Amino acid sequence: MDGGTELSLSIAHIVQRLKGSHLHSQIERQAKDCLHQPEIKLESLKDDVRSFLKTSGWERKLQNAVYRELHVQLPRSHPTAPPEHLKEPLAYMRKAQASWEKRVLKSLNSMSTELEVPLARMRPAAEQKELANKWNEMGTDEPDLSRFRPVYAPKDFLEVLISLRNPNHDSSEDISARSHWGLIQVPLNVRDIPQLRQAYAELNLTTGQLGIDDHAHIRPDLFESEYVQVGKKVLAEQDSAAAQQYSRQGCPTGLRADLWALILNSTNQPQDVMHYEQLTAGVIQHDLLVDNLIYKDVKLTASNDDYYFVFEDFLYQVLLCFSRDTAVLDHFKYNSATPPKSYIQGKVGDEECAVVYPPNGVIPFHGFSMYVAPLCFLYNEPSKLYSVFREMYIRYFFRLHSISSSPSGIVSLCLQFERLLQTHLPQLFYHLREIGAQPLRIAFKWMVRGFSGYLSTDQLLLLWDRILGYDSLEVVAVLAAAVFAFRAENLMEVTSLASAEAVLADLSTLKVVPLIQIFLFATAI
Amino acid sequence: MSESGDEIKPVSCTIKPPVYLHIGETKTDPAHSGVCVVDVTLPFGKPVNVEEITFKNYYTAYLTVRLLRRSPGQEAPSKWSTALRDLPLMDNPHTEGGSQDYYSIHRTQMQVEPDNVTSVRLILRQPSAAWLTFSLEEIKIYPHTEPDPEKEVSDWLSDLTLVDNHPDLEGLPDPQTVSSSLQQMWALTEVMQSNQTTASIGRFDVDGCYDINLLSLT
């Protein structure tokens, strides 16, 4: 297919998706209303309306909406490619994801049977009323969650990734130039430092960065003040693409909330608030087994964290609503995962009674709430917080817990981490391997959570600035390698996995931007 | 892909089993040379004008396409020519990118006109030692169809001439401009009315019921 046809198809897809959206009707209304204005002439109707929409800022809003669609667009593919190929092109990865999902579903089914708790049920009226009353303080509830256990933990998932094999891959050669010391054995294409230097050029040593050049000891007029002014201009222009580019050097704390919302094209208009309220109603009406898993996860992780325990109530609200949101099902077109299916009232096979469980198709695992927790520092209005979280999930976070060949997928990130370490710190990698402390076993839990809960919040937000700015999770793998590089001296001294874990247990004092910068731009190649 | 409304069926052809070239004489030590040849013969006696060749890759890194063409005429000899040389299917022969993707090669991408083709030879190369095997799957050849010739307008129609009406317009706007802008306004209202939305309703239950006992494992 030539470029012209591909472009037309893309345009047609985006038009189809934006048609009938709230933005569409708003622009129509604006166009209709502007006909009353004197400068709109009948002879040049089309052009005059167009220039009106431009000057009033509506064209920019449309641009942002199109830009957002480009982010969640299906990957370009051949017309004969079946839908499963769009989710994941490699057959053996699809198979591995399917069997992992089956395991998770079996586990959920047996939990439901053993505990005699239905997967979903309608709440009786009295219970609905009670929940509605204490909606804002669900944290005060102390339900008995001891019987519930998380469906899976990151380390279970790691074992699955380690066992991934390409049946067509020749791993018979013991001594080969490309022998890989790490745990991931699939030959995905991951970028090395020279390529990363080109891709992440804005992080180089000579470009100002927030996280380095806004340090208290450095005079603000050298970088910070002007950078903040540029940020304000970007917000005034309301341009998503400009905000994304800006975010590569970091977002100033005061502007970050608005900048992220702009990059994600996350609005908080009446229809968004209404949608959130509809989700709330969904939570109140039906009780799901996964709700207990969410409660348990929040209690075990965020509530125990010094930075995030204050947001406990918000986390319940956002995560419970998230699991009722059928709009999330859209992202399964490009996610290698498939939403679990069930039938109401036991009517198995009756497609009229087929439903998705949970309604958003995402089964939370241990640590899931940590995707939301850092956002609570930026947004204090639940519907806005929800909107931003949902967009971040369907663009980035879903890749951290599904098996795919995507360059931002967790498999690629793990492989990239191991390759970076083996290439640039071979002595360290060899030593850790010898003492039975495979680096990935330590770094995996950081990467699966995007470092949430391991870094201090301000540093985490600086990291997530770059994820948004570069539209990729690669920085997470780079940071993981950089942390090992930073603590290399101590790690060379240890003689067991436990002591290696101890050296890397506390990352809360780390400054991420200098670490990434030094690893990418100051490592000798 | 061809833009015509009718679905074009691929030509029925015989795809011979792939022949992997070996270095060395004996079969006991088949060193893989990383080259494989797949011959696709078209029905005997019916040369095809090729529009497009589609296939699904399986770990082939580079593809060369050679065509056996017979010039039209009873006794004309057939000649092999290269239509495409070393088209990269994988960005990096050692890694997964592009290894299982679907591709198509259109006649416009070929270096020679793929007309009167009797046989297609696909030469696959995979220089990397990382893979156990490589091939192409689902090879389909689509024939070129000529678009319908435009129907000729009868001569007598072209004899009719347009009579230009110049009515006496005093102070009135030009009828042509008014009608074109009215058309634009009408089109605008038409668009507003046909608001077909792709937005989903958002309900996850079936008529208010969402009682689930077990998840489906199939």
Side-chain angles (χ1 to χ4, degrees), chain A residues 1 5 16-21 24-25 28 31-32 35 42-46 49 78-82 85 89-92 94 102 105-106 108-109 112-113 118-122 166-171 173 178 186-190 278 282 285-286 288 324 326-327 340-346 352-359 363 419, chain B residues 1 3 32 52-60 91-92 94-106 108-109 126 128-135 138 140 142 177-178 180-186 188-218:
Chain A
M1 206 188 290
T5 326
Q16 179 67 19
R17 283 181 62 86
L18 290 178
K19 224 175 184 175
S21 67
H24 184 201
S25 42
E28 273 178 359
K32 206 159 129 194
L35 293 174
L42 203 55
E43 310 87 68
S44 50
L45 185 68
K46 213 165 165 187
V49 172
H78 197 264
T80 55
H85 194 261
L90 302 180
Y92 69 92
R94 287 200 295 268
K102 209 161 167 182
L105 296 189
K106 273 194 187 151
L108 204 52
N109 272 348
S112 170
T113 330
L119 288 172
R121 67 174 178 102
M122 174 98 89
N166 179 345
N168 193 32
H169 187 64
D170 186 359
S171 36
E173 286 181 62
R178 293 185 69 81
V186 290
L188 294 170
N189 201 10
V190 292
Q278 191 188 10
Q285 258 195 342
H286 298 274
L288 305 183
R324 304 314 192 263
T326 52
K341 196 169 151 184
S342 185
Y343 299 89
I344 52 163
Q345 295 163 341
E352 303 264 308
C353 298
V355 287
V356 170
Y357 181 85
I363 297 185
R419 285 265 169 87
Chain B
M1 283 291 251
E3 297 300 336
H32 294 291
E52 196 173 29
I53 303 175
T54 61
F55 54 87
K56 180 173 186 294
N57 189 15
Y58 191 73
Y59 294 94
T60 304
D91 312 314
N92 180 340
H94 302 292
T95 60
E96 295 277 8
S99 58
Q100 297 188 22
D101 281 352
Y102 291 80
Y103 288 92
S104 49
I105 302 172
H106 198 258
T108 48
Q109 292 169 267
Q126 177 45 278
S128 171
W131 315 110
L132 296 172
T133 182
F134 60 98
S135 62
E138 297 175 36
K140 293 198 177 85
Y142 290 87
T177 41
V178 170
S180 74
S181 36
L182 276 177
Q183 260 199 343
Q184 285 180 6
M185 290 233 309
W186 172 83
L188 203 59
T189 44
E190 275 293 299
V191 164
M192 284 183 191
Q193 278 169 13
S194 66
N195 235 347
Q196 282 176 30
T197 171
T198 52
S200 60
I201 312 248
R203 292 183 55 189
F204 55 82
D205 53 311
V206 177
D207 294 331
C209 176
Y210 195 66
D211 294 332
I212 300 173
N213 288 324
L214 283 179
L215 295 171
S216 176
L217 291 175
T218 47

Side-chain angles (χ1 to χ4, degrees), chain B residues 8-26:
Chain B
I8 299 197
K9 293 208 174 34
V11 176
S12 67
C13 47
T14 325
I15 301 173
K16 302 238 181 74
V19 176
Y20 291 89
L21 306 190
H22 292 301
I23 301 172
E25 297 289 333
T26 57

Side-chain angles (χ1 to χ4, degrees), chain B residues 169 171-178:
Chain B
L169 304 164
L172 292 173
D174 178 30
Q176 296 284 11
T177 41
V178 170

